[in-house]
Amino acid sequence: RAPAHFILASEAVIAPADQCADIVRDLEQTGFPVEMLMLEGANHGFDQQERSALSPLVYDAAFTEAAARGRRAVLNGIVDPAKPEGARP
């Protein structure tokens, strides 16, 4: 079964990383396969280039690329069941 993949922004206030990490731990305790990537210093919406004029969120290309690398690692692990590089143990 394919894992759930959580990409967390450590500085997010809309979806706080600590609360999301609790969900990851809960899933792990039930035996559900889950991978988590914590982007230290990132804020919520780092990968959204388009937003309303009133949005306080800021696009960040480096965090967006890091998230994409994490997604690729998890997907590669599904295709090749060896532990994906960069995935959390």
Side-chain angles (χ1 to χ4, degrees), residues 35-77:
E35 298 291 342
M36 182 179 82
L37 173 63
M38 178 70 71
L39 297 176
E40 294 296 334
N43 201 339
H44 190 87
F46 64 84
D47 59 344
Q48 298 175 3
Q49 287 183 315
E50 295 180 20
R51 63 191 60 207
S52 82
L54 300 176
S55 174
L57 304 176
V58 177
Y59 173 76
D60 188 298
F63 284 131
T64 299
E65 178 53 34
R69 282 192 307 272
R71 284 190 301 272
R72 285 191 297 271
V74 169
L75 291 172
N76 287 338

